[in-house]
Amino acid sequence: MLLGPALAVSAILFSIGVAGVLLRRNAIIIFMCVELMLNAVNLTFIALAQQLGPEGQVFVFFVMAVAAAEAAVGLAIIIAIYRHRQTLDLQYINLLRG
Amino acid sequence: MGHLDLSTASGMTLALLPEVMLSAWAFALTLYAGVRHRDAVDQRRAGLIALAGLVATLIVVIWMWAADVRSVGLPFMMALDAFRWATSVVFLLGAILTVLLSFSYVDRERLWAPEYYVLLLLATVGMMFMGSGLDLIVIFLGLELMSVAVYVLAGINRRSPFAAEAALKYFLLGAFASGFFLYGIALIYGATGTTNLTLIDYQLRSLGLGTNLMLLIGAAMLLVGFGFKIAAVPFHMWAPDVYDGAPTPVTAFMAAAVKAAGFAALVRVLLHALSGALPAWQNIVWWLAVLTILVGNLIAIAQRQMKRMLAYSSIAHAGYLLAAVASGNALGAGAFLFYALAYTLMTIGAFAVVAMAGHNGERDLLIDDLTGLARRRPWLAIGTAIFMLSLLGFPGTAGFMGKWFILQSILQAREHALAVVLVAGSVLSAGYYLPVVMVMFMKPPVSETAHEQVAARGAGRLVVAVTAICVLLFGVWPNPALDLARSGGHDLASSPQAPVSSTSGAER
Amino acid sequence: MSGLLSSIGYQYWVLDALILIPVAGGAVALVGPEVSGKRTALVVTLLEFVVSLGLWWAFDPATAGMQFEVSHAWIPSWGVTYHVGVDGISLFLVLLTTLTMPLAVLGSYTYIKSYERPYYALLLVLTSGMLGVFIAQDLFVFYVFWEIMLIPMYFIIGVWGGERRLYAALKFFIYTFVGSLLMLVAILTIYLLVGQSTGRYSFEYQHLLNNIWLTGRWGIWLFGAFFLAFAIKVPMFPFHTWLPDAHVEAPTAGSVILAGILLKMGTYGFLRFALPLFPGVALSPAVSTAIVVLSVIGIIYGALVAMVQPDFKKLIAYSSVSHLGFVMLGIWALTLQSVQGAIVIMINHGISTGALFFLSGMIYERRHTRAIAAFGGIARVVPAFAAILTFVSLSSIGLPGTNGFIGEFLVLLGSFGTQPAATIVATTGIIFAAAYLLWAIQRILFNPLDQPENEKIPDLSVRELIVLAPLLACIVWIGVYPAPILRRTEASAQALVNQVRGPQRLPIVPGAPER
Amino acid sequence: MPAIVEWVWLVVMLPFGGFLANGWISFFRPNDKRAVSIIGVGVLAGAFLVAVAVVLGAARETVEAAPAVFTYWSWMPVGTLQVDVAFQVDHLSSVMLLVVTGVGALIHVFSVGYMRADPGYARYFAYLNLFVFFMLVLVLGASFPVMFVGWEGVGLCSYLLIGFWFSEKANADAGKKAFIMNRIGDFGFLVAMFMIYRSIGSLSFQNVFEQAPTAFAVGGSAITWITLALFLGCAGKSAQIPLYTWLPDAMAGPTPVSALIHAATMVTAGVYLVARTNVLFAMAPISSAVVAGVGALTALFAATIAVKQWDIKKVLAYSTVSQLGYMFLGVGIGAYTAGMFHLVTHAFFKALLFLGSGSVIHVLHHAYHETHRHDDAQDMRNMGGLVRFMPWTAGVMWIATLAIAGIPGLSGFFSKDEILAATFARGGEAPFFYLLWVIGTIAALLTAFYMTRLMIYTFHGSNRTGEKECDHLHEAPWIMTGPLVVLAAGTVLAGALNLPEILPAHGWLEHWLEPVTELGTRYLPEASLAPGTEWALLGLATAVAAVGIIGAWRLLHPEALVPAREAPPETGLGKLLYRKYYVDEIYDAAVVRPLVWLSEKVLWREIDQGVIDGAGVTGVTRLARWLGHLGTWFQNGYVGRYVLWFVVAVILVVWEIRR
Amino acid sequence: MTQFVFWTLSGVAILGALLCITGRNPVMSALSLVLTLFALAGIYVLFDAHFIAVMQIIVYAGAIMVLFLFVIMLLNVGRPDAGSDVKGKVGKFWAGFLGAALIAEMAAMWRLLPGESFRLPAGTLAGLTAQRGAVGLIAEPLFRAYLVPFEITSVLLLAAVVGAVVLAKRKL
């Protein structure tokens, strides 16, 4: 019965992802931290799927697709911003404020 | 047509007709964009095609609504109810107005990428899924579809560092929020064993999961995810920057349709699936509403830029909508629908004015730049005044009727404090809507040549005219829209009896 | 006369016509040629006046209830009905409005030099809005009219006003808006409470009135919301500070309308809504004492502050605070005499203060200043102006034989029965009234003619005399023979007093919220 | 029965018609002085004739009957309050009717000469006619509110006429002061009406007087407060302590105005009111005592000030205040007839004195005008020896002076003595009344003194006007001296109206007024004097008058006077009296200035602009703006910061939902 | 055994995650994340999700992370002299504090289980896998009940492609 521990590990990984987003300034690493969060959620799904049926695994499949889509667009955006600013450090990306 | 059996392929296709149709149109437009993407003419043609697709879809939606299509049998991924049609109409309307608004804007800013319209259509498809999804996963995918498209739209002006920054901020925070949203889905799935909203409702009530910790945390995470999309304080911080940096039609689209889509899904999830846990989330929504109303309105007062002011104003309006949600009753859902329609009209109208008046970079358009507009462009000024007053919630405009409706739902739920906060917010909002009217009408233009280049041309003029007229019309004669909104809200809250046999959509 | 009127079905269409004529006229004025805007407006307002004049004869003084009622469904799903009617309390406010408007138009003929079409169109729309407030018999409709007339006034002050017009317009708008929004919440709450207890959800005033009896916490809060809305509009001390600014900055016609009609909406609201809907609260010792004290403070305070104003318009504005204090005292003393007196003061204040604003506008047009110190001794130069200003001032300070006396006398006499102490203090207001107005007209009209600019100012023109003549006639007429007015208001006022003082009903106990 | 009494409306409307006509002329044909004179004097003469007819008619028809009330229309019908526009002709109002129209007509005639050269001639007569109209409304009104119309109306006319030459700030100030002082009194009148209505439910004289005996307890607090409030009204209108200061200032108006309004008619309205409501006062002994006490004090106080005034009109003004005090003393002790009697006689001799002084001023003014000097034509130091130039004027004024001083045989002697005798008679009741009698007697002494002083300084000794001016000094035209002669005749004869009981044919006025005064005298203790005492008092009064006059002759030295411009400033007690005990200054410092300061600095600047607008409105606006700017500080563009708040919110949301 | 494997893999995953968020070099971070992904794939196998485990390695660790690395390299943000993008003390405090708070709030997950009434008997999923195969287990619901979401995914990917192209192509 590893469901509880798996959910806990998932929560920890998720929180680490959140902490990463808080900790880093580089857009691409922040994005990786978001990916980490998604993966933590995937673990929850998978762990639950063992008890609740294969739908959980189907969700993970969708999440992967979403992650892929986001990665494509996100990295394109990151490239676009790099073209403008020559940096990915969010500290320097605040033209818009107020 | 009546009832559709969703277990048949034809029934299912029919149930998905609007979304399928619009997706197909988007594919076709992609192909066109792939072939013809050279000049302004191509661009305009692409826009016209998109417009045709949206209008056609709108017609289909209205047709299905009028035919009162309902499903029989097991709960399905997609809802077939008035709420879906009503929200679809709002999204499509928002998209149509955005396309109309885009023609001259795209021309002026030389954004020659027909994919713009493709993404607009795809985002609309995503919204429609959000409004119609009866399964959390559909809502999630709809949300992602919409988001991905809008991330790109926000940054579509590649020449603009502002747009790029807007896109980046929106994307990073959006993806971050998606993680929470997804986590919420997972936890609710874990607590109830299903992601179907009807079944969640059923499980929640039959198993008494109203205090189940997993469900509650899941609900909290869902709220966070939605809170981001609808720009509820304190999840709103991206919104002003992104609205500010994105091209104005996209901003209008985001402020109106994207927000409405987030709300549609939120209302459906909270009132349909999680109404059994109402005491748990109502308090949070209450606080979010209060914060959103106050913060949105207060910061808006401090703005000098028109676009940012409207951005904060849209945050404040999210607060009003949240107040309707916080009432937690059918009236609230109806009020949301009506207000969403009114809000879409007036917000897009207002942004249309910004798009027109901001001829040399709408980011820099200060409120004071409209000084004396009424002397040069009286009709545009009158239109703007109508939008401002409607946003303010002044009688005779749709905004007033909407606010009245929301207050009615709040007071029905005996949330008097919330009602007072709402009206206090309205008072604060007078502090920034009125100055717009004031500078336009009550001050002379700064120079002889001021506003010479401001011109309402073609489709843009149509947008302002149509939205202004509709705002006034719904402010005086709201009955048809009101009745439809009420029935939509009623449909949602009084969910059909959950089937007793099945626990999950899938076979075991 | 009334037979003739009923033969043309007057009672069935008059109120609709009164609302529609100005709106239609406003559209005509807006799209017509620039030069004919004022003429259109004058014709329309005169037509409006003539149409409304029939009310005088068609009105049945013996009936306390609503007359000329018209009712159309508006938003059935909310229970909103476009329901209008007139009774003794609103009759004269309607007539006052229709009388004031042609004069306001005529008084603007030379004052307004820019953007004439929208100006006159707004004046006409304003007419409809104000009339709507006085005749609405449905709280939703009332609220809509109540708010809608803010807009024309906002523009009139903001576009055609004086130097600090933006500030004044915004202040005026937001002040009123603050109060009215809380009233909106209260209206909805009453609607829902009555709906829940009777099963019929309707904003109809009669329906709500018949079924509501609130005391305790609910009553206090709801009454408070109405109170705030009306108190700001009246304006009662200490909610009055928008008034001097708005009055001073508004163009003449705007000031006239503000003072003459808009302020009456507050007192009318108290009479029509706040008092009858919440008699239990309104007559509770704490609330009633508080309001009476505020009214009396308003009387004295307004007069004292008016005394030291350097700007004539501001002086008149503060005098309004004082006058409206009498009205509030009369309403809250709640005797037949005091209520009728309050109604009469409402009319009088419209006439006398309206005339004072016209006069201040006329002198402003000549000298482009309103500072009292800029004048002095001009009675010799402009005798007609001086005579009329003196006369109107005397009416304003309540000299017997003019209209002002009738109202103040009735209010004070009636109030003494229930609020003796407050009445005695309020009566000292007549001393201060004499002090500030006489001092002001002394500094304007009398004293040595020491400023050369004043030596050549022309006396009133024929047009200006025409503007003032009806007001002067009313001052004398109401002062000498007010009985026709008093007879028409008596039944309604008596019914109001009886209703509010009447037997107490069982309170609605607000139950659990509905989902 | 179309009786002649019904024509009373014509008495009222004739002056009103004159007002309208003259008002019209003043705007459109201001130079048509002939028409103005004819209209202005004509309406008054007409009114007087009609009034005589009405009074004779009334005397014939309604001697013993209830007062004749003529209701014209319903004025304020509100529920139980039914106020009609109605006139009441009875014994009391008919006396006033004759005095007002009679003396008024004479003064109108005088004015034709006096105001001949004034550019505001038509306006002047319009005002004067209007005044008579209001005064008649006052005396004829059949209810308190109608009386109040006249009451305030005369105040208005007084205001207009005092400030008639409004281009002088002092004149305009004086008018305003008169109006406001009167308003303070009117406040009392109003409050009295409210209290009466609350107790009785009606305001018509008939109802009130009929029901008062049952509605009030004698000496009860209700009736006491009502009468005190009424007396406040009287004090304002009739210039009693503490509201007397306006009357001397009111001398800024044209002199005939002073004669008519501020001597003969308006200022006596308070006395008339007390007499009219005698039943109420009689039921309130305390109030009556207050009336008498204030009257006596005023009589003395004003007399002392009059002793040291240099302005001829100021002397007469304080004299008027003093004489009004006598009248209040009379009505206060319950001698209503005596009060009214003194009112009538005073109307004659004081009007005469004023008109006489008007002639003097007119002549002096004319003289200064001819020689282009700007000296004060009213200062007695600029007069002296005028008897040589103006024998008629001097003669008639001597008659009046002797009358007011109380020389037997003249009207003032009888009326003043009746008051003092009645006061003395009540001394048996309480020593208080003896005190009043003593005060009254001292005041009488002073009266004789200052009036003689006035005559000596004005008409006797050497002339101080100036060398060149002497050529222009002469008797005023006949149109001015004519009325003087008529009034002098009145002054001599009016005493016959009510001779003391010890003389034959006594008490005619007493008998005439009996239907009115008996309402009140029922409540008063019977007080009569033995004939011996009465003779003694008469003798004493004569002696006092003689001492005053002779004392003045002996003490004053007109030769020592120098013209006003060369006169040294007063010192010591003289200065105190000359400056009227500094009462005006005290009022200014204690009431007017603090009030203006409070209004401007505290109420307006501090409360209105500071607290309500500043802290309240602007404060809230500022707060909102400040909060808004604070909010933008959070919105600093850093994604990291946004995420931080996001996560904090997430934690709070989860926390909240888990609760 | 299963316990041991689970805890080992969990430890590796958490370690990888920590390295990912603290690593100074973006490349190191990416590689650490790949480590975590691999460990997760192993855990998936423990929970009878063989197909997903494979997908995890192929799609996630393979495609997506490579894409990340590619971008890092392309933009040359991983160069040694770029300096750390880890925030300073205040940032670290907040990250640690809020992360810990979040973990604390969700620690209760440890004890949470889905309701008995709809929980499958133990071993059911393993049995189904044996019966239908790892792919069949997923395919069955994916193409029947979840056909609509599956189709939405296709649209989503289209949007992503169009979007990425629009943003990244050289010429507008």
Side-chain angles (χ1 to χ4, degrees), chain C residues 183-261:
Chain C
M183 179 170 75
L184 186 157
V185 175
I187 289 175
L188 265 166
T189 309
I190 295 172
Y191 158 82
L192 289 168
L193 286 178
V194 171
Q196 278 158 18
S197 74
T198 63
R200 184 173 159 229
Y201 286 87
S202 167
F203 286 100
E204 290 242 24
Y205 174 60
Q206 263 318 323
H207 174 66
L208 298 178
L209 185 62
N210 293 339
N211 292 294
I212 191 138
W213 182 271
L214 282 169
T215 49
R217 205 164 52 86
W218 282 79
I220 295 275
W221 281 108
L222 293 176
F223 174 79
F226 275 90
F227 170 78
L228 189 64
F230 297 143
I232 287 175
K233 199 70 149 201
V234 166
M236 284 181 77
F237 178 88
F239 307 108
H240 64 279
T241 58
W242 64 271
L243 185 75
D245 288 310
H247 268 332
V248 169
E249 298 307 326
T252 300
S255 306
V256 170
I257 294 166
L258 260 176
I261 307 166

Side-chain angles (χ1 to χ4, degrees), chain D residues 371-406:
Chain D
T371 57
H372 306 291
R373 258 176 71 176
H374 295 285
D375 269 9
D376 189 350
Q378 301 190 10
D379 196 306
M380 290 191 290
R381 285 170 295 194
N382 295 338
M383 300 176 185
L386 291 179
V387 68
R388 280 169 285 154
F389 308 100
M390 311 174 71
W392 277 97
T393 307
V396 293
M397 279 187 76
W398 265 114
I399 294 173
T401 303
L402 295 177
I404 194 172

Side-chain angles (χ1 to χ4, degrees), chain C residues 167 171 175 237-238 240-241 244-245 301 304-305 307-310 314 318 336-337 340 377 379-380 383-384 387 390 394 397-401 405-406 409-410 412-413 416-417 420 423-424 427-428 430-435 438-439 441-442 445-448 478-483 486-487 490, chain D residues 27 73-83 85 119 123 134 145 148-150 152-153 156 159-160 163-170 172-173 175-176 179-180 183-187 190-191 193-195 197-198 203 595-601 603-605 607-609 612-613 617-618 625:
Chain C
Y167 171 75
K171 198 170 173 184
Y175 246 110
F237 178 88
H240 64 279
T241 58
D245 288 310
Y301 178 94
L304 286 179
V305 177
M307 191 162 69
V308 293
Q309 293 306 313
K314 222 165 189 168
Y318 277 107
L336 178 63
Q337 285 83 19
Q340 283 202 265
R380 203 171 285 294
T390 311
L394 291 171
I397 64 181
L399 191 82
F405 173 69
I406 306 293
F409 181 72
L410 287 177
L412 294 170
L413 186 80
F416 192 78
T423 305
I424 288 179
T427 309
T428 60
I430 65 157
I431 302 170
F432 299 122
L438 292 185
W439 194 27
I441 62 172
Q442 179 191 344
L445 299 179
F446 308 143
N447 290 353
I478 299 177
V480 174
Y481 188 45
L486 295 170
R487 269 200 283 277
E490 179 156 346
Chain D
F27 277 107
W73 66 83
S74 176
W75 192 23
M76 287 188 276
V78 183
T80 56
L81 175 72
Q82 293 292 335
V83 180
V85 173
R123 186 163 59 90
F134 276 125
F148 191 67
V149 171
E152 285 239 309
L156 163 70
Y159 162 75
L160 292 171
F164 182 74
W165 291 307
F166 52 76
S167 293
E168 291 290 327
K169 181 166 182 303
D173 277 343
K176 187 186 71 192
F179 199 101
I180 291 169
R183 273 252 152 170
I184 297 174
D186 296 348
F187 159 77
L190 279 172
V191 171
M193 279 198 273
F194 304 154
M195 291 194 276
Y197 179 73
R198 197 186 185 192
L203 287 173
L595 204 61
V596 171
W597 177 84
L598 174 82
S599 304
E600 178 160 1
K601 296 290 188 286
L603 296 182
W604 184 33
R605 298 288 182 199
I607 294 187
D608 220 55
Q609 297 193 328
I612 299 176
D613 243 12
V617 180
T618 317
R625 267 180 202 290

Side-chain angles (χ1 to χ4, degrees), chain C residues 309-312 315 369-376 439-440 443-444 451:
Chain C
Q309 293 306 313
D311 181 313
F312 190 50
L315 184 147
T369 176
R370 285 181 296 256
I372 294 175
F375 299 99
W439 194 27
R443 285 175 291 164
I444 293 174
Q451 301 193 32

Side-chain angles (χ1 to χ4, degrees), chain B residues 301-447:
Chain B
I301 293 177
Q303 298 304 315
R304 292 177 62 235
Q305 268 181 53
M306 192 72 187
K307 218 172 156 188
R308 274 192 100 79
M309 184 275 275
L310 284 173
Y312 283 107
S313 127
S314 87
I315 292 172
H317 283 270
Y320 304 149
L321 285 166
L322 271 174
V325 177
S327 72
N329 51 29
L331 218 50
F336 153 70
L337 284 176
F338 186 83
Y339 201 80
L341 174 69
Y343 173 68
T344 301
L345 290 171
M346 58 207 188
T347 273
I348 292 188
F351 277 111
V353 174
V354 175
M356 277 173 221
H359 47 85
N360 45 3
E362 66 273 10
R363 262 208 83 239
D364 304 328
L365 182 73
L366 302 181
I367 293 175
D368 286 341
D369 290 343
L370 295 177
T371 299
L373 185 68
R375 315 248 160 130
R376 294 286 147 72
R377 298 282 181 264
W379 289 106
L380 189 62
I382 287 172
T384 317
I386 290 172
F387 299 135
M388 291 300 138
L389 290 175
S390 181
L391 287 166
L392 180 56
F394 206 78
T397 62
F400 170 72
M401 292 290 175
K403 228 170 234 175
W404 186 279
F405 205 166
I406 290 177
L407 277 172
Q408 205 167 319
S409 75
I410 299 173
L411 290 170
Q412 174 124 32
R414 292 278 158 80
E415 298 286 359
H416 290 94
L418 187 55
V420 171
V421 170
L422 197 153
V423 297
S426 297
V427 171
L428 288 175
S429 71
Y432 55 93
Y433 292 130
L434 286 185
V436 178
V437 178
M438 197 175 263
V439 296
M440 288 191 306
F441 284 90
M442 303 176 188
K443 283 183 177 175
V446 285
S447 68

Side-chain angles (χ1 to χ4, degrees), chain D residues 442-487:
Chain D
I442 296 171
L445 177 70
L446 288 170
T447 307
F449 179 85
Y450 67 70
M451 283 313 297
T452 310
R453 169 178 177 268
L454 181 144
M455 293 308 290
I456 294 169
Y457 285 168
T458 306
F459 290 106
H460 301 283
S462 58
N463 181 272
R464 298 175 294 274
T465 313
E467 291 291 317
K468 281 184 284 178
E469 284 75 17
C470 279
D471 300 341
H472 300 283
L473 296 176
H474 51 77
E475 186 63 87
W478 66 267
I479 198 153
M480 289 164 71
T481 38
L484 296 184
V485 173
V486 177
L487 284 170

Side-chain angles (χ1 to χ4, degrees), chain C residues 53-214:
Chain C
L53 211 51
L55 291 172
W56 175 268
W57 287 281
F59 187 83
D60 175 10
T63 315
M66 287 293 151
Q67 304 183 33
F68 316 104
E69 281 182 288
V70 183
S71 182
H72 313 284
W74 185 7
I75 309 177
S77 59
W78 287 351
V80 174
T81 319
Y82 176 78
H83 183 177
V84 293
V86 163
D87 72 351
I89 295 171
S90 44
L91 172 68
F92 288 100
L93 294 170
V94 169
L95 290 174
L96 177 68
T97 310
T98 55
L99 169 68
T100 307
M101 292 316 288
L103 305 180
V105 170
L106 200 58
S108 304
Y109 256 46
T110 53
Y111 193 97
I112 300 301
K113 298 194 179 72
S114 58
Y115 309 101
E116 292 186 23
R117 283 182 296 182
Y119 175 80
Y120 290 104
L122 284 172
L123 271 190
L124 289 171
V125 172
L126 186 61
T127 312
S128 288
M130 295 185 302
L131 286 175
V133 169
F134 291 134
I135 63 177
Q137 296 303 317
D138 178 294
L139 280 175
F140 185 95
V141 178
F142 168 74
Y143 183 80
V144 167
F145 278 123
W146 174 272
E147 290 269 281
I148 210 90
M149 44 113 258
L150 262 184
I151 282 295
M153 204 63 218
Y154 172 67
F155 278 104
I156 287 172
I157 296 174
V159 178
W160 293 275
E163 273 176 16
R164 297 174 70 226
R165 60 182 186 275
L166 299 182
Y167 171 75
L170 192 65
K171 198 170 173 184
F172 163 72
F173 193 105
I174 289 186
Y175 246 110
T176 318
F177 203 54
V178 169
S180 58
L181 278 173
L182 283 177
M183 179 170 75
L184 186 157
V185 175
I187 289 175
L188 265 166
T189 309
I190 295 172
Y191 158 82
L192 289 168
L193 286 178
V194 171
Q196 278 158 18
S197 74
T198 63
R200 184 173 159 229
Y201 286 87
S202 167
F203 286 100
E204 290 242 24
Y205 174 60
Q206 263 318 323
H207 174 66
L208 298 178
L209 185 62
N210 293 339
N211 292 294
I212 191 138
W213 182 271
L214 282 169

